[in-house]
Amino acid sequence: MVNARVAVVTGANKGIGYHIAQSLVHSGLFSVVVLGCRDSTRGQHAAAEIGGCAEFMPLEVGNAASADNFAEALVAKHGRCDVLVNNAGITRDRPLHKMDKDQWGAVIGTNLNGLFNMCRGVIDGMRERRLLGESLLRARQPGLALLRAGAGASAAAAAALQAALASHEVLGRRGAAPSHRRWPTDEA
């Protein structure tokens, strides 16, 4: 199939992730849109509700082993990942001086380590195909950094990772594949 593009959306069982996955399915540009979610019941329900080429796969982005298993299963089943939307994230809305270590660890574990774990799992395949895919790195509004300490730290780190990927021509300057690139086909 020439149009065998595979998209992955993390945290896709509700909210923004759900609507991103729904939009990707309805775009008709993908042969499959994988919803990576830690809650299997909600993930399966979301994939069934979206319908079409939506598919659920279990995933806990903050757990390196889970992310590695997800990437391996994704490649084994679909052969590739063309678009990765790093949407999974949590908040613990507290100023830094009121946030305890467990809250900090949970936010950083999901929002930052999850970003790293997911990019690490699929980036080699994207680079081999001369990218192309897009990795939409999750970031928060910088103005909230003082009010939400963990979110601000993970947003800054996401921006740094995006810059590093862009410098290696994995991503364009705004976190997306350069527009002059063409989607690879199975024939390439």
Side-chain angles (χ1 to χ4, degrees), residues 47-122:
E49 193 173 65
I50 291 171
C53 64
E55 173 184 306
F56 164 76
M57 288 178 65
L59 170 65
E60 172 57 52
V61 298
N63 179 306
S66 176
D68 289 346
N69 291 339
F70 177 91
E72 289 172 17
L74 178 75
V75 170
K77 185 169 185 179
H78 299 293
R80 66 198 296 153
C81 176
D82 296 297
V83 172
L84 170 62
V85 180
N86 282 304
N87 173 70
I90 62 171
T91 59
R92 300 293 183 261
D93 292 341
R94 295 184 176 276
L96 181 63
H97 67 282
K98 292 186 177 181
M99 183 176 269
D100 65 39
K101 288 184 207 177
D102 290 338
Q103 292 166 329
W104 174 264
V107 171
I108 295 301
T110 298
N111 299 6
L112 181 55
N113 294 343
L115 178 71
F116 170 78
N117 292 339
M118 291 308 298
C119 287
R120 186 179 57 117
V122 300

Side-chain angles (χ1 to χ4, degrees), residues 115-188:
L115 178 71
F116 170 78
N117 292 339
M118 291 308 298
C119 287
R120 186 179 57 117
V122 300
I123 205 72
D124 285 340
M126 288 179 168
R127 290 188 74 196
E128 287 169 9
R129 289 188 313 281
R130 294 203 160 294
L131 191 82
L132 162 205
E134 300 170 327
S135 182
L136 305 177
L137 302 179
R138 185 175 184 281
R140 305 228 179 211
Q141 297 174 356
L144 298 178
L146 294 177
L147 299 175
R148 295 158 56 187
S154 62
L161 179 58
Q162 182 174 353
L165 291 173
S167 72
H168 292 284
E169 294 186 23
V170 173
L171 298 178
R173 289 176 46 204
R174 293 196 176 117
S179 61
H180 67 279
R181 309 257 182 168
R182 298 196 182 272
W183 285 97
T185 64
D186 289 343
E187 300 163 2

